[in-house]
Amino acid sequence: MKLLVDIGNSRVKWAIMDDNGLTESQSFDRNKSGIKASLNKAWKTLADIKAIYVANVAGEKIAEQLSDWTQKQWNLTPKFIQAEKKHFGVINAYDEPEKLGVDRWLSLISARQHARLAQCIIDCGTAITVDIVTKAGQHQGGMIIPGISIMKSSLVNNTDALTADTDNQEFKTLATNTYSAIHTGTLYAVTATIERIISDLKESFNNRIRFIITGGDAEALLPLLSDDVHHYPDIVLRGLAFYARQDKTKTSVRKKTKPEQDEDTAAVKESDTDAKLKSESAPPAKENTQNDAQQVTDSSTKDKPKPARKPRKTRATKPKAAAKTETQASDTSLPEEAI
């Protein structure tokens, strides 16, 4: 079994991948100071883990804590995925590809695989990210917007009269307490932004674009958004699964190829050995016998008349196949075939 882990700014989401696919994802809130206590609680009973694939946007300290814990628990070092220039049919639009957030990169890979239209992925976490990938796999770029929690904390932290009284949180168009007013206002601010983005992109792509929403705040926003926005809560984990499957394929190919090579080598050695044994066991040929055989061959050759040569048949020349044009032979603009 393989453990897939999505470490965000606020939560850690994870799932197990086995021969039947991905299990239902689970999550826990991430403590800012560390995650080892949370890992003990969530993963202590997990067994038979063979590999770990991680998307981490929480920094080096969290990555080190995760690696230490998995080394002690399973003697495994996690594989931390990074954004690339091109993989799984997706071409990264960033000038410095590795600086695209790995969560955004994996979402693009996952969304691209079944795409008949351009795809817009709206990830509503601590920050809200928007990315677009065409049906051919070309990332078009994106944007980053403050998330709901950042908007709320900004209001609370920068205004003396406002407090974060979460007990009074309620969504009402016209709120009757301060925190509900903050909650409603931030929801409207975010949904209005998303709706405007959707409207502009529909116009740009002549309505040939599909919208996907994910992230921790997606469920709170969905009731306020139009019906043509699709909710994919595990899109990052599904992107990680492509890397896990790829490594499984590589391993199986190596295992399959090695025995074949060993069999071929053994067959060659066995053939050489047999030939050597035969040559050593054969009796030495006598010189007179060789001379006699040569004389008989020469005389029989001289006595037999040579048969008349048959005229050669002229073969019809086949027309050569038309050579591929330069564009057909190599089109570097096309993405790799999607897996």
Side-chain angles (χ1 to χ4, degrees):
M1 296 192 300
K2 296 179 180 179
L3 177 62
L4 310 185
V5 189
D6 172 16
I7 305 177
N9 291 302
S10 306
R11 293 188 311 158
V12 176
K13 200 169 190 178
W14 59 278
I16 298 293
M17 192 178 89
D18 56 22
D19 293 336
N20 297 319
L22 277 179
T23 62
E24 185 176 352
S25 65
Q26 300 182 54
S27 66
F28 54 85
D29 291 336
R30 182 175 72 78
N31 192 310
K32 295 294 182 184
S33 60
I35 60 170
K36 287 188 177 182
S38 299
L39 295 179
N40 280 327
K41 187 176 179 181
W43 294 349
K44 192 71 174 178
T45 58
L46 292 181
D48 199 30
I49 301 297
K50 303 297 183 186
I52 306 162
Y53 294 81
V54 183
N56 175 37
V57 298
E60 289 297 321
K61 181 180 177 182
I62 296 297
E64 289 173 7
Q65 289 181 3
L66 176 67
S67 298
D68 290 345
W69 194 92
T70 59
Q71 279 283 359
K72 291 176 181 177
Q73 183 72 10
W74 299 308
N75 195 28
L76 291 173
T77 300
K79 183 172 184 178
F80 291 90
I81 304 301
Q82 299 293 328
E84 303 175 76
K85 180 62 182 174
K86 184 178 180 182
H87 209 160
F88 298 116
V90 177
I91 303 169
N92 192 332
Y94 264 36
D95 297 328
E96 298 177 78
E98 67 281 357
K99 290 192 175 180
L100 177 70
V102 65
D103 52 346
R104 297 168 66 190
W105 171 244
L106 292 169
S107 294
L108 289 168
I109 289 172
S110 185
R112 157 72 180 87
Q113 302 311 312
H114 307 291
R116 295 180 183 177
L117 304 171
Q119 307 283 309
C120 173
I121 304 100
I122 305 162
D123 191 340
C124 302
T126 305
I128 297 169
T129 60
V130 180
D131 284 281
I132 293 91
V133 60
T134 67
K135 66 178 182 179
Q138 179 63 60
H139 178 215
Q140 299 291 291
M143 63 184 78
I144 302 174
I145 307 156
I148 293 173
S149 61
I150 290 178
M151 290 185 183
K152 289 178 180 179
S153 62
S154 177
L155 279 171
V156 170
N157 294 335
N158 293 286
T159 310
D160 289 336
L162 301 182
T163 58
D165 184 7
T166 55
D167 291 337
N168 290 325
Q169 177 177 316
E170 182 184 7
F171 178 78
K172 291 174 67 176
T173 303
L174 298 175
T176 55
N177 64 72
T178 301
Y179 199 75
S180 289
I182 293 173
H183 180 62
T184 301
T186 51
L187 281 176
Y188 268 114
V190 170
T191 52
T193 302
I194 291 174
E195 288 287 7
R196 179 57 189 267
I197 291 168
I198 289 172
S199 176
D200 288 351
L201 288 174
K202 281 182 176 179
E203 185 178 343
S204 298
F205 285 85
N206 296 318
N207 285 321
R208 300 287 297 166
I209 186 167
R210 182 169 177 261
F211 296 93
I212 295 170
I213 191 168
T214 189
D217 289 331
E219 289 187 5
L221 292 166
L222 271 171
L224 302 174
L225 295 171
S226 55
D227 293 336
D228 59 351
V229 178
H230 306 274
H231 186 207
Y232 284 82
D234 297 335
I235 196 168
V236 174
L237 292 175
R238 293 187 182 281
L240 274 174
F242 280 91
Y243 281 91
R245 287 192 206 100
Q246 174 189 255
D247 286 355
K248 181 181 178 182
T249 304
K250 286 180 179 178
T251 304
S252 62
V253 168
R254 282 196 297 268
K255 285 180 179 178
K256 186 177 179 182
T257 305
K258 190 173 180 181
E260 288 176 358
Q261 292 173 341
D262 292 344
E263 287 173 13
D264 292 343
T265 307
V268 170
K269 287 182 179 178
E270 186 178 349
S271 177
D272 292 345
T273 305
D274 290 346
K276 188 175 179 182
L277 289 172
K278 286 179 182 177
S279 63
E280 289 175 355
S281 60
K286 294 182 181 179
E287 189 177 349
N288 292 340
T289 306
Q290 289 178 348
N291 292 337
D292 292 343
Q294 184 66 37
Q295 289 174 3
V296 171
T297 305
D298 291 344
S299 62
S300 63
T301 305
K302 287 177 184 179
D303 294 342
K304 288 183 180 179
K306 292 182 179 179
R309 286 186 178 179
K310 293 181 181 180
R312 289 184 180 178
K313 292 182 181 179
T314 307
R315 293 184 179 177
T317 51
K318 293 181 180 178
K320 290 183 180 179
K324 289 184 178 179
T325 65
E326 187 177 348
T327 307
Q328 290 172 323
S330 175
D331 189 350
T332 54
S333 69
L334 295 174
E336 295 173 1
E337 185 179 354
I339 292 178

